[in-house]
């Protein structure tokens, strides 16, 4: 047998990470192989330490034979840090530049891809309500992580965050009483039912799943920063194919269509807020 | 260090902009490595500070973009509210993960990922700050064979951050700000 020279010079750690990601894909179908390595490695290493594994190979064996161990790892692999009206100026722009165009449609479908615990979904629902679009819109909120979706569905957030969210809401151009949108119970703020009614929460994995409806708006903010170029290209192609002509794609503050395969299919309409519009193909 | 480093990582907190303004403009136009910086800053700060530093410097100073490829002679500054990480293929990644040491961006996150990516071909620089962020990152750099430079706490606007690193590792250089630019040139050019 010939020995193949390995030009990559992978360290033992890197090889074990690669094997672990392969194991996850082969056993459970979740594909983290095209995530940015530095970040995924950090999260795996943290999980290893907190969950008390000596070696990555121990972790690999355990998640292969025990699904609950895998679910715990899965929870730690995705970044679930979010807030309501995060980057308020984006939401302000959404209200001034996107909403008037949405108002010309008889029915509006919006997809929040990678919605995590739902804070940004409820933020959008509030704006749509205030702008009179509630009765003719449907928000699809998806994530690959079932446990955060469950939390998103409850619409319960820590009351300690409400002060910050209220400030964000006002900076985002909100002019109503923010307290009208939730009920305070002990240390929780529970979002009102009329906001939840317009949201469908569902599992969807951007790395492997496909188009499920035609959308007027897709928001996917601070999700693609965790993907490598190959996966980013897959995901923006999926968004392009999901959007109607003239539909809007909203990315995170530090995300861009530059250098991505579908760049030519979109026009940038707000460079600071990273809002793009699909033009006629 | 017996070969050209692939990058310099620099962490600074309280008193940071003054320290950067005294060091970066002193670096020559043909500085042969990228310099990647985490400066703790308020979450709402705009990049006016980055622009000012850019205008005052021979090198290009810019806010780091995700997936950006590292170039020599360029200074990358972590954007507010994002962790900045280095990949082995000489690109940068961003993350909105939990703050580390109460900070996002965190110096430890940058240093640890850079140490993993570049090993011995890395220089770590830790300057003034009222935080313990950066110490564990310096330890990782040291353990991977990289070179460590810490500001002399006596000369620092806030001594806690450099002192914490000195308590944890034996730094290769302990220096004042006035000598830092020259030292970096000597070690790289």
């Amino acid at each position: 047998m010939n020995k193949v020279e390995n030009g990559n010079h992978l360290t033992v750690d890197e090889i074990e990470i690669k094997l672990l990601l392969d194991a996850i894909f082969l056993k459970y179908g979740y594909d983290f192989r095209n995530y940015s390595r530095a970040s995924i490695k950090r999260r795996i290493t943290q999980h290893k330490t907190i969950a008390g594994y000596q070696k990555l190979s121990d972790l690999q064996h355990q998640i292969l034979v025990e699904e609950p161990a895998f679910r715990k790892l899965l929870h730690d692999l995705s970044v679930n840090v979010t807030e309501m009206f995060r980057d308020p100026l984006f939401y302000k722009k959404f209200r001034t530049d996107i909403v008037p165009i949405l108002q010309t449609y008889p029915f509006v479908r919006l997809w929040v891809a990678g919605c995590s615990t739902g804070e940004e979904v409820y933020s959008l629902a509030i704006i749509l309500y205030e702008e009179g679009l509630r009765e003719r819109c449907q928000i699809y909120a998806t994530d690959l992580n079932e446990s955060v979706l469950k939390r998103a569905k409850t619409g319960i957030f820590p009351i300690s965050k409400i002060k910050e969210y209220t400030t964000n809401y006002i900076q985002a151009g909100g002019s109503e009483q923010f307290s009208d949108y939730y009920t305070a119970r002990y240390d929780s703020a529970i979002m009102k039912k009329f906001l939840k009614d317009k949201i469908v929460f569902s599992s969807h994995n951007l790395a492997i799943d496909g188009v499920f409806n035609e959308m007027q708006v897709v928001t996917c903010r601070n999700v693609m920063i965790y993907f490598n170029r190959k996966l980013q290209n897959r995901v923006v192609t999926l968004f392009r194919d999901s959007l109607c002509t003239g539909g809007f794609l909203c990315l995170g503050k530090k995300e861009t269509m530059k250098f991505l395969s579908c760049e030519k299919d979109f026009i940038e309409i707000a460079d600071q807020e990273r809002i793009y519009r699909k033009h006629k193909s | 260090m017996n070969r050209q480093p692939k990058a310099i990582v620099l962490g600074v907190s309280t008193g940071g902009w003054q320290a950067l303004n005294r060091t970066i403009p002193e670096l020559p136009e043909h500085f042969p490595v990228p310099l990647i910086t985490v400066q703790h800053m308020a979450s709402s700060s705009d990049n006016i500070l980055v622009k000012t530093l850019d205008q005052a410097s021979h090198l290009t100073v810019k806010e780091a973009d995700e997936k950006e490829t590292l170039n020599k002679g360029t200074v990358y500054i972590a954007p507010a509210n994002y962790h900045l990480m280095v990949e082995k293929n000489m690109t940068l990644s961003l993350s909105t993960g939990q703050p580390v040491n109460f900070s996002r961006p965190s110096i430890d996150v940058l240093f640890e990922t850079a140490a993993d990516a570049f090993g011995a071909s890395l220089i770590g620089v830790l300057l003034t700050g009222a935080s313990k962020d950066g110490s564990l990152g310096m330890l990782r750099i040291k353990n991977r064979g990289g070179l460590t430079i810490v500001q002399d706490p006596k000369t620092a606007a806030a001594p806690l951050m450099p002192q914490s690193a000195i308590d944890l590792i034996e730094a290769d250089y302990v220096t004042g700000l006035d000598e830092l630019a020259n030292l970096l040139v000597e070690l790289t050019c």
Side-chain angles (χ1 to χ4, degrees):
Chain A
M1 195 170 88
N2 290 327
K3 183 168 169 281
V4 179
E5 275 303 320
N6 183 349
N8 289 329
H9 305 296
L10 294 174
T11 64
V12 171
D13 263 10
E14 286 161 351
I15 293 168
E16 288 200 300
I17 298 270
K18 191 174 183 307
L19 292 173
L20 176 65
L21 298 180
D22 282 345
I24 291 171
F25 180 66
L26 291 172
K27 173 78 182 171
Y28 298 103
Y30 286 91
D31 193 352
F32 290 100
R33 296 172 301 173
N34 287 312
Y35 276 49
S36 294
R37 263 317 141 87
S39 181
I40 201 92
K41 182 178 172 190
R42 217 184 137 75
R43 278 174 273 153
I44 289 172
T45 310
Q46 271 174 348
H47 178 84
K48 185 190 91 177
T49 307
I50 292 165
Y53 295 99
Q54 293 293 315
K55 297 178 291 193
L56 282 172
S57 51
D58 296 342
L59 171 62
Q60 180 190 313
H61 180 73
Q62 198 60 25
I63 62 120
L64 283 174
V65 296
E66 291 264 0
E67 184 160 349
F70 167 68
R71 293 287 154 194
K72 282 183 196 149
L73 171 64
L74 180 64
H75 185 267
D76 287 349
L77 282 187
S78 51
V79 172
N80 296 305
V81 182
T82 177
E83 58 190 78
M84 288 190 78
F85 295 99
R86 172 197 224 160
D87 305 324
L89 295 183
F90 160 71
Y91 284 95
K92 197 171 191 172
K93 202 80 177 169
F94 185 92
R95 208 188 272 268
T96 57
D97 290 31
I98 297 183
V99 161
I101 295 164
L102 298 184
Q103 279 163 340
T104 67
Y105 289 98
F107 195 83
V108 180
R109 288 186 200 87
L110 306 95
W111 177 15
V112 181
C115 69
S116 189
T117 40
E119 283 82 341
E120 297 210 51
V121 187
Y122 288 99
S123 309
L124 271 185
I126 288 172
I127 291 184
L128 295 168
Y129 165 74
E130 290 182 356
E131 299 295 334
L133 282 164
R134 193 194 97 95
E135 301 307 323
R136 50 194 172 97
C137 78
Q138 178 70 62
I139 304 175
Y140 300 90
T142 66
D143 204 283
L144 63 82
N145 187 332
E146 305 266 3
S147 64
V148 295
L149 273 177
K150 257 186 215 158
R151 280 184 52 198
K153 258 183 231 177
T154 66
I156 300 175
F157 304 120
I159 199 102
S160 56
K161 295 278 191 184
I162 287 296
K163 196 176 157 201
E164 180 193 346
Y165 294 169
T166 307
T167 309
N168 282 358
Y169 167 74
I170 293 164
Q171 283 179 2
S175 54
E176 305 295 318
Q177 288 295 327
F178 188 62
S179 54
D180 289 348
Y181 297 121
Y182 62 88
T183 310
R185 284 270 187 283
Y186 304 106
D187 53 359
S188 299
I190 305 160
M191 301 314 289
K192 291 262 173 85
K193 189 171 176 300
F194 72 90
L195 295 172
K196 285 184 205 171
D197 283 350
K198 289 294 157 183
I199 309 169
V200 174
F201 291 96
S202 151
S203 172
H204 183 281
N205 185 337
L206 293 170
I208 48 180
D209 293 331
V211 174
F212 59 91
N213 212 329
E214 189 185 67
M215 306 289 166
Q216 277 69 47
V217 178
V218 174
T219 79
C220 184
R221 305 180 64 236
N222 296 306
V223 175
M224 290 206 299
I225 49 175
Y226 302 109
F227 300 165
N228 69 13
R229 279 275 182 250
K230 185 178 165 197
L231 184 51
Q232 285 181 341
N233 280 327
R234 178 194 200 274
V235 172
V236 290
T237 305
L238 174 62
F239 293 157
R240 182 200 60 194
D241 296 345
S242 299
L243 281 166
C244 65
T245 299
F248 296 93
L249 174 60
C250 310
L251 302 180
K253 199 168 157 191
K254 294 297 292 178
E255 291 166 328
T256 165
M257 292 290 293
K258 248 179 231 156
F259 314 120
L260 293 182
S261 54
C262 297
E263 187 184 357
K264 60 178 187 336
D265 299 323
F266 289 88
I267 309 163
E268 184 178 78
I269 63 161
D271 95 21
Q272 288 299 307
E273 292 80 10
R274 306 291 160 104
I275 299 172
Y276 298 86
R277 194 162 188 202
K278 179 178 164 181
H279 58 67
K280 291 191 183 72
S281 36
Chain B
M1 185 174 294
N2 50 16
R3 55 190 166 137
Q4 176 104 349
K6 285 185 177 159
I8 298 171
V9 286
L10 188 153
V12 65
S13 183
T14 318
W17 283 107
Q18 290 88 328
L20 291 177
N21 273 299
R22 276 174 68 184
T23 306
I24 308 290
E26 300 298 316
L27 297 172
E29 194 178 342
H30 299 293
F31 195 65
V33 288
L35 199 160
I36 312 154
T37 302
V38 162
Q39 142 76 26
H40 294 157
M41 53 176 111
S43 58
S44 60
S45 64
D46 52 34
N47 55 16
I48 186 94
L49 295 164
V50 175
K51 280 181 188 151
T52 312
L53 189 56
D54 182 48
Q55 279 165 3
S57 304
H58 305 289
L59 305 180
T60 302
V61 181
K62 67 183 296 295
E63 195 174 270
D65 286 314
E66 69 108 14
K67 300 289 178 296
E68 185 163 16
T69 299
L70 292 168
N71 281 318
K72 61 185 180 180
T74 305
V75 179
Y76 302 90
I77 297 189
N81 255 328
Y82 288 85
H83 288 305
L84 179 60
M85 290 171 284
V86 179
E87 302 282 347
K88 209 178 179 185
N89 65 1
M90 294 294 282
T91 62
L92 295 172
S93 293
L94 298 173
S95 150
T96 57
Q98 292 286 2
V100 174
N101 307 314
F102 311 103
S103 303
R104 191 177 62 199
S106 146
I107 300 168
D108 277 343
V109 171
L110 171 65
F111 283 15
E112 288 176 7
T113 56
D116 287 357
F118 300 145
S121 308
L122 180 70
I123 298 176
V125 183
L126 194 66
L127 305 179
T128 170
S131 156
K132 290 191 174 179
D133 197 15
S135 290
L136 289 173
M138 289 293 262
L139 179 64
R140 178 84 65 97
I141 293 173
K142 185 99 194 167
N143 287 343
R144 295 277 200 272
L147 202 79
T148 51
I149 303 174
V150 180
Q151 182 176 4
D152 183 346
K154 288 197 289 292
T155 70
L160 177 62
M161 203 160 84
Q163 189 61 52
S164 302
I166 289 171
D167 292 346
L168 190 67
I169 61 159
E170 195 178 325
D172 296 292
Y173 296 89
V174 176
T175 176
L177 276 187
D178 289 336
E179 298 90 50
L180 180 59
N182 275 337
L183 177 60
L184 293 178
V185 169
E186 252 172 57
L187 291 170
T188 55
C189 295

